[in-house]
Amino acid sequence: MTEAAHSSLVHAFDSQRGRHILVPDGSRIYDLASELALEVDTAVSAGEDAVARLLERYGLASSPYIDDVPLQDPPIRALSLAVAQKCNLGCAYCYAQGGDFGGVPRNMSWPIARAAIERLIDAAEPGQRVNLAFLGGEPLVNRALVRDATAFAADQAKARDIRVGFSITTNGTLLSAEDASFFEEYGFAVTVSLDGVGDTHDRLRPFRGGDGSYARIMARVKPLLDRQQRMQVSARVTVTPLNIQLQDMLDEFVATGFHSVGFSPMLSAPMGRLELNQPDLMTMLEEMIGCARKFESETVAGRRYPFSNMTEALRQIHRGIHRPYSCGAGAGYFGVSAEGGLFACHRFVDDENGRLGDVKDGLQRDKRNAWLAERHVHRQEPCSKCWARYLCGGGCHHEVIYRGRPACDFIRGWLHHCLITYVNVMEQRPDFFSAERS
Ligand code: SF4
Ligand code: SF4
């Protein structure tokens, strides 16, 4: 990969069709005539003032799409309930520290789940959409609550003409045929955590007694894969130094019938176990680019290849996404602990750094708005000078707080390749997004 010259105001990249620029402000992409390509390079070498003058000269300067004003009091749009802060697996790197977040293993009670759902539904207007997610630990340890909460949320939403989406992230070991019917009935997005094929997975995600879990998970996931109509079943891989060969894994999971397959780098683990270092991240980037090339060739050939890191990036680039935050944590999205604490997201559950209220009394307004002010991408360094700032949004808040920003070259390298893929796919499959929707 050759990364072209860049500044914070413009980022150049080459596709099969020639040279292009991304103007980060507004995430706008332009094709460059060859004489202009030289002009851009010269301006970038000369510094930010020269780039600003160039954008002005060609009518590309504008008043900033994103100002410094942080979000204030945005409505809650999504909650994830930690219905079971306990787990039957013993994954070495688990952010929930074995599912209990460092505390006593426990289940969420019905009054807490009900209060959380009422808060979510009450915050929405008729016609709007909200999302209710179930996480753990392993949420199916508390299956009865998952079912009661889902039925209750669906009823409440229907009565108020609100659309509600459901999702669950599970280790897959407890899935049953009845779960398949239930998830299909309510149109769940089911994410199964898988860290490789066979032994690779078993090494990273064993049962607490040490036995491997892969064979059991695949046997239990199969009925769900076979029944996907309203339900979508995806695989999510946490990438550590022990499972960094991604291309064969992606092929295998796509062939197995998952609706999508995605990879997340392990950047911050309790005790630092299995975190990726710089050389690992560069290896992962090479693997991701290999997966992206396969995605591109399959897509151009008209075949579905659901590599979700790429499909999601392409959707965002196509929409011209430019965002002041990396995610909705503490804005429209919160994690609810078993005791009813409202935390910035599922990863902050029971972490005082991310406690922003509780389901009974609601959000602590000043604390929540201070979080949003603090986490705006313009307040992050070195993000305010980074060309990728409005595509990236400044990185996962949890990882930034606990590990800093070790993955910026990885993020920029990946986004650079996504921009190239976007132009290539649009050139050869201009119907890609309409075909994806149909
Ligand atoms: S986290 Fe890194 S890649 Fe993302 S905007 Fe900040 S500096 Fe850029
Ligand atoms: S803070 Fe990190 S883990 Fe939490 S929602 Fe945002 S990206 Fe995800």
Side-chain angles (χ1 to χ4, degrees), residues 52-71:
R53 284 196 298 276
L54 182 79
L55 292 177
E56 187 77 47
R57 195 156 66 245
Y58 286 99
L60 301 181
S62 65
S63 47
Y65 281 67
I66 290 178
D67 60 22
D68 292 337
V69 182
L71 277 174

Side-chain angles (χ1 to χ4, degrees), residues 326-329 333 345-348 396-399:
S326 57
C327 62
Y333 172 54
C345 81
H346 55 283
R347 270 186 100 171
F348 283 98
C396 164
H397 306 309
H398 191 274
E399 285 160 3

Side-chain angles (χ1 to χ4, degrees), residues 346-360:
H346 55 283
R347 270 186 100 171
F348 283 98
V349 160
D350 285 352
D351 178 342
E352 291 308 314
N353 279 324
R355 183 187 290 276
L356 299 174
D358 63 66
V359 292
K360 192 164 139 283

Side-chain angles (χ1 to χ4, degrees), residues 36 56 67 75 128 161 234 323 347 349 353 372 374:
L36 250 179
E56 187 77 47
D67 60 22
Q128 290 182 326
D161 190 25
S234 300
R323 54 186 176 189
R347 270 186 100 171
V349 160
N353 279 324
L372 290 171
E374 175 69 20

